[in-house]
């Protein structure tokens, strides 16, 4: 189940691109089926089957023109599970030589979604 969805950035390259942060309830939960709809100039993003976890953003005229032209958008999602790793209490003084020298992998996902208008 999805705990929350937040749209962090809206941009245009060849098509409309939406960056979103999605927080899941459980690390082994894979139930995420995003759906996008435009009502007026408001873009709504929600998970299929869940009405409580929705987010929206206002699009400017250039973004609306691109969305109407393509009738699709590229969705880039960064997944996280809140409270999974806890808090780091002992930090290494020189991080280049310590166990925290490498960055942990972040689960990311990219897809193209059709728009319903």
């Amino acid at each position: 189940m999805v705990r929350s969805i937040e749209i962090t950035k809206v941009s245009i390259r060849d098509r409309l691109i939406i960056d979103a942060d999605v927080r899941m309830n459980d690390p082994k939960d894979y139930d995420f089926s995003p759906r996008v709809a435009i009502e007026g100039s408001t873009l709504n993003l929600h998970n299929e089957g869940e009405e409580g976890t929705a987010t929206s953003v206002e699009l400017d005229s250039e973004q609306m023109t691109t969305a109407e032209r393509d009738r699709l958008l590229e969705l880039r999602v960064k997944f996280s599970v809140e409270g999974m790793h806890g808090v780091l209490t002992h930090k290494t003084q020189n991080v280049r030589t310590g166990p925290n020298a490498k960055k942990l992998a972040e689960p990311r996902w990219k897809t193209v979604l059709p728009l319903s208008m």
Side-chain angles (χ1 to χ4, degrees):
M1 298 285 291
V2 175
R3 180 178 294 190
S4 67
I5 302 172
E6 179 185 350
I7 295 176
T8 56
K9 184 178 167 187
V10 179
S11 60
I12 298 174
R13 289 208 180 141
D14 294 335
R15 58 181 159 226
L16 189 64
I17 299 172
I18 304 292
D19 291 344
D21 287 340
V22 176
R23 285 187 171 67
M24 304 298 279
N25 286 333
D26 186 4
K28 295 184 180 180
D29 190 8
Y30 306 110
D31 184 25
F32 182 64
S33 300
R35 300 293 181 251
V36 180
I38 292 183
E39 297 173 8
S41 65
T42 305
L43 182 129
N44 297 317
L45 174 66
H46 68 279
N47 191 21
E48 183 180 35
E50 296 179 29
E51 296 302 322
T53 57
T55 185
S56 62
V57 67
E58 287 288 325
L59 300 178
D60 62 18
S61 61
E62 184 181 0
Q63 293 167 344
M64 276 299 295
T65 304
T66 305
E68 290 172 351
R69 180 192 69 203
D70 296 338
R71 300 284 178 155
L72 57 89
L73 61 83
E74 182 176 323
L75 179 67
R76 298 177 182 173
V77 179
K78 178 184 168 189
F79 290 101
S80 64
V81 178
E82 200 166 315
M84 185 173 134
H85 297 294
V87 178
L88 182 64
T89 56
H90 302 288
K91 282 192 168 187
T92 306
Q93 296 298 324
N94 188 354
V95 295
R96 290 176 280 162
T97 61
N100 299 328
K102 292 186 179 177
K103 189 176 178 182
L104 293 173
E106 294 177 342
R108 296 187 182 259
W109 189 53
K110 188 189 315 185
T111 188
V112 176
L113 293 176
L115 285 171
S116 60
M117 297 184 139

